Amino acid sequence: QVQLVESGGGLVQAGGSLRLSCAASGRTVSSYAVGWFRQAPGKERTFVAVISANARITQYADSVKGRFTISRDNAKNAVYLQMNYLQPEDTAVYYCASDSRAASSSLTYSYTRAYDIWGQGTQVTVSS
């Protein structure tokens, strides 16, 4: 089974940038769509971004579009999330997730139920 590990989180001031990494092991994720989600304390886990297996299609939540960029390097079995112009409302634990069942679609890519493999999360804190 594929395992996912997020890294790159930390504490930054508003307006700063971070680059998150999602490293896969055990099995390749090159055939799967991979998404990023985030969860703030006391809040539901919400969609951030997704990238298709061939990296030709990306989608973003309205709250991050224009600020965040998702990318992948299938040769390294990794997915990245470049986060620019960070704001306090971006503070959350960030998770990457893969759809090893190929169940996601244009209708379901933003739903947590479309993804079956999840990382442990990495904390992002943005101070004002």
Side-chain angles (χ1 to χ4, degrees):
Q1 183 69 278
V2 63
Q3 295 105 39
L4 304 177
V5 178
E6 303 94 336
S7 62
L11 174 64
V12 298
Q13 288 191 324
S17 299
L18 285 173
R19 183 175 186 254
L20 305 184
S21 297
C22 175
S25 62
R27 296 173 63 183
T28 181
V29 296
S30 62
S31 297
Y32 311 141
V34 175
W36 285 94
F37 290 75
R38 64 188 182 185
Q39 187 167 21
K43 302 294 182 64
E44 300 293 329
R45 190 170 300 185
T46 59
F47 169 75
V48 175
V50 65
I51 188 166
S52 63
N54 63 10
R56 291 186 177 272
I57 301 173
T58 59
Q59 298 287 347
Y60 299 89
D62 288 343
S63 59
V64 307
K65 191 172 184 178
R67 300 188 298 123
F68 292 9
T69 303
I70 189 170
S71 62
R72 69 191 302 162
D73 185 343
N74 285 340
K76 296 181 178 179
N77 212 20
V79 176
Y80 308 98
L81 185 69
Q82 178 66 46
M83 306 186 295
N84 298 326
Y85 309 107
L86 284 162
Q87 301 299 312
E89 53 265 37
D90 296 316
T91 295
V93 176
Y94 283 70
Y95 300 87
C96 64
S98 66
D99 174 21
S100 67
R101 303 166 299 180
S104 62
S105 71
S106 61
L107 298 177
T108 64
Y109 66 85
S110 65
Y111 299 154
T112 59
R113 67 176 184 267
Y115 303 86
D116 59 322
I117 305 297
W118 293 81
Q120 86 292 338
T122 185
Q123 177 71 49
V124 172
T125 303
V126 185
S127 62
S128 60

Coordinates of all heavy atoms in Angstrom, one line a residue, residues 11 21 30-31 42 52 56 67 80 84 91 101 106 111 114 117 125:
L11 N 6.0 28.1 10.8 CA 5.4 29.3 11.3 C 5.9 30.4 10.4 O 7.2 30.6 10.3 CB 5.7 29.6 12.7 CG 5.4 30.9 13.3 CD1 3.8 31.1 13.3 CD2 5.9 31.1 14.7
S21 N 5.7 19.5 0.8 CA 6.0 18.3 0.0 C 5.1 17.1 0.5 O 4.9 17.0 1.7 CB 7.5 18.0 0.2 OG 8.3 19.0 -0.4
S30 N 2.0 7.7 -9.4 CA 2.0 8.4 -10.7 C 0.7 8.2 -11.4 O 0.4 8.9 -12.4 CB 3.2 7.9 -11.5 OG 3.1 6.5 -11.7
S31 N -0.1 7.1 -11.1 CA -1.3 6.8 -11.8 C -2.5 7.4 -11.1 O -3.6 7.3 -11.6 CB -1.5 5.3 -11.9 OG -0.5 4.7 -12.7
G42 N -11.2 22.8 15.3 CA -12.6 22.9 15.4 C -13.4 23.0 14.1 O -14.6 23.2 14.2
S52 N -4.1 16.1 -11.4 CA -4.4 14.8 -12.1 C -3.1 14.0 -12.2 O -2.0 14.5 -12.0 CB -5.0 15.0 -13.5 OG -4.1 15.8 -14.3
R56 N -1.8 17.5 -16.1 CA -2.4 18.4 -17.1 C -3.6 19.1 -16.6 O -4.0 20.1 -17.2 CB -2.7 17.6 -18.3 CG -1.5 17.1 -19.1 CD -1.9 16.5 -20.4 NE -0.7 16.1 -21.2 CZ 0.0 16.9 -22.0 NH1 -0.4 18.1 -22.2 NH2 1.0 16.5 -22.6
R67 N -2.9 32.1 -5.3 CA -1.9 32.2 -4.3 C -1.1 30.9 -4.2 O 0.1 30.9 -3.9 CB -2.5 32.6 -2.9 CG -3.2 33.9 -2.9 CD -3.6 34.3 -1.5 NE -4.5 33.4 -0.9 CZ -4.4 32.7 0.2 NH1 -3.2 32.9 0.9 NH2 -5.3 31.9 0.6
Y80 N 3.7 18.6 -4.6 CA 4.1 19.8 -3.9 C 3.0 20.8 -3.9 O 2.1 20.8 -4.7 CB 5.3 20.4 -4.5 CG 6.5 19.5 -4.7 CD1 6.7 18.9 -5.9 CD2 7.3 19.2 -3.7 CE1 7.7 18.0 -6.1 CE2 8.4 18.3 -3.8 CZ 8.6 17.7 -5.1 OH 9.6 16.8 -5.3
N84 N 1.9 31.0 -1.5 CA 2.4 32.3 -1.4 C 1.4 33.3 -0.9 O 0.2 32.9 -0.8 CB 2.8 32.8 -2.9 CG 3.9 32.0 -3.5 OD1 4.8 31.6 -2.8 ND2 3.8 31.8 -4.8
T91 N -4.0 29.2 8.3 CA -3.5 28.4 9.4 C -4.4 27.1 9.5 O -5.6 27.2 9.7 CB -3.6 29.2 10.7 OG1 -2.7 30.3 10.6 CG2 -3.2 28.3 11.9
R101 N -8.1 4.3 -5.9 CA -9.2 3.6 -6.5 C -9.6 4.3 -7.8 O -10.5 3.8 -8.4 CB -10.4 3.6 -5.5 CG -10.0 2.9 -4.2 CD -11.1 3.2 -3.1 NE -11.3 4.7 -2.9 CZ -12.2 5.2 -2.1 NH1 -13.0 4.4 -1.4 NH2 -12.2 6.5 -1.9
S106 N -14.5 14.9 -12.0 CA -14.8 16.4 -12.0 C -15.9 16.8 -11.1 O -16.0 18.0 -10.7 CB -15.2 16.8 -13.5 OG -16.3 16.2 -13.9
Y111 N -14.1 16.3 -2.6 CA -14.7 15.7 -1.4 C -13.7 14.7 -0.8 O -13.0 14.0 -1.5 CB -15.9 14.9 -1.8 CG -17.0 15.7 -2.4 CD1 -18.0 15.1 -3.3 CD2 -17.2 17.0 -2.1 CE1 -19.0 15.8 -3.8 CE2 -18.2 17.8 -2.6 CZ -19.1 17.2 -3.5 OH -20.2 17.9 -4.0
A114 N -13.5 10.9 -1.8 CA -12.9 10.5 -3.0 C -11.5 9.9 -2.8 O -11.0 9.3 -3.8 CB -12.9 11.6 -4.0
I117 N -6.2 7.2 0.6 CA -4.8 7.2 1.3 C -4.5 8.6 1.7 O -4.5 9.6 0.9 CB -3.8 6.7 0.3 CG1 -4.1 5.3 -0.2 CG2 -2.4 6.6 1.1 CD1 -4.2 4.2 0.8
T125 N 1.2 27.5 10.3 CA 0.7 28.6 11.1 C 1.2 30.0 10.6 O 2.3 30.2 10.3 CB 1.2 28.5 12.6 OG1 0.8 27.2 13.1 CG2 0.6 29.6 13.5

